[in-house]
Amino acid sequence: KAGVTQTPRYLIKTRGQQVTLSCSPISGHRSVSWYQQTPGQGLQFLFEYFSETQRNKGNFPGRFSGRQFSNSRSEMNVSTLELGDSALYLCASSPGAGGYNEQFFGPGTRLTVL
Amino acid sequence: QQQVKQSPQSLIVQKGGISIINCAYENTAFDYFPWYQQFPGKGPALLIAIRPDVSEKKEGRFTISFNKSAKQFSLHIMDSQPGDSATYFCAAVYSSASKIIFGSGTRLSIRP
């Protein structure tokens, strides 16, 4: 089985712009979660989608949003980018929802905001 | 109450030695404790995990020790190898709320 894929792998944007990141889960997986990874804050949970519904959300401002499509692919959008949004954005998929399902992470999208 | 404190931040161990990484949590609602391993340029990968009704779990050279009363758990890597050099994250999960809280990570370097 192919692993979790994320596109693009690298992205450079300027402050004020918006960005959309894409995640394709492992075939058959219906849950997709997004995380932000930075040296200072570590790994922080953004949100989780299951069957096209947002099941859980972390403590991030409303500029961060996401959605999931019927084929389980997911997108994450960040509007009005700030310098502090520079981070590695990781997507993880699992067969079902909930913490006991092993999450399989993609390689991440490295976002740099100038 | 939602924090998971991980130490040390970085660790250097000689090849063949034992690597030990510690984590502590506060909220007793956590009910699943995974450890993830991350290599540069890759996403984290599940290494080993434990539930709080078990005090120890061993998989090959990797062992989790869990102390429920102290709200602490640790990862032990026996016979550490250069290929184990990576960043390790502990985590605590609220399975009912589908929330996972990660520790801050430990950068492990194994010297040949």
Side-chain angles (χ1 to χ4, degrees):
Chain A
K1 272 187 182 179
V4 177
T5 57
Q6 293 187 245
T7 56
R9 291 294 311 277
Y10 302 92
L11 204 50
I12 299 175
K13 291 285 187 179
T14 56
R15 277 183 302 174
Q17 287 187 309
Q18 76 166 24
V19 66
T20 299
L21 312 181
S22 181
C23 171
S24 293
I26 292 172
S27 177
H29 285 192
R30 295 170 62 194
S31 173
V32 173
S33 297
W34 288 90
Y35 298 86
Q36 181 194 66
Q37 185 175 23
T38 59
Q41 299 296 320
L43 269 163
Q44 292 188 288
F45 171 75
L46 279 156
F47 26 66
E48 178 190 11
Y49 286 88
F50 180 77
S51 294
E52 301 177 67
T53 302
Q54 187 179 86
R55 193 168 182 270
N56 225 326
K57 191 177 190 308
N59 296 325
F60 279 82
R63 299 186 296 109
F64 292 81
S65 63
R67 58 178 176 169
Q68 187 180 34
F69 302 96
S70 58
N71 61 359
S72 294
R73 191 177 69 84
S74 178
E75 286 182 348
M76 191 191 95
N77 184 275
V78 188
S79 62
T80 319
L81 284 165
E82 301 177 359
L83 295 178
D85 297 333
S86 294
L88 180 68
Y89 290 88
L90 292 160
C91 163
S93 76
S94 62
Y100 282 107
N101 286 279
E102 180 181 349
Q103 295 195 10
F104 295 83
F105 283 83
T109 294
R110 173 75 62 186
L111 171 65
T112 301
V113 182
L114 302 176
Chain B
Q1 270 206 325
Q2 296 226 1
Q3 275 191 320
V4 177
K5 294 181 181 178
Q6 183 172 347
S7 63
Q9 191 173 20
S10 62
L11 182 62
I12 299 174
V13 175
Q14 290 293 124
K15 179 183 174 184
I18 303 173
S19 303
I20 302 174
I21 304 171
N22 301 299
C23 284
Y25 64 98
E26 296 175 353
N27 197 322
T28 55
F30 291 130
D31 56 2
Y32 185 63
F33 300 88
W35 283 89
Y36 285 85
Q37 180 188 55
Q38 185 177 26
F39 293 105
K42 305 282 188 182
L46 180 65
L47 186 63
I48 187 172
I50 197 168
R51 297 188 187 192
D53 53 350
V54 177
S55 61
E56 185 176 281
K57 184 173 181 180
K58 185 175 181 180
E59 290 184 2
R61 296 184 295 108
F62 301 91
T63 299
I64 300 179
S65 296
F66 189 86
N67 186 329
K68 190 173 181 178
S69 60
K71 292 187 279 188
Q72 295 175 347
F73 58 110
S74 59
L75 175 69
H76 296 236
I77 305 175
M78 311 299 287
D79 187 27
S80 299
Q81 299 296 313
D84 297 330
S85 297
T87 300
Y88 292 81
F89 294 92
C90 63
V93 178
Y94 283 113
S95 60
S96 58
S98 192
K99 276 194 171 180
I100 182 166
I101 309 294
F102 285 92
S104 53
T106 296
R107 182 172 289 184
L108 174 65
S109 296
I110 307 299
R111 289 217 170 126

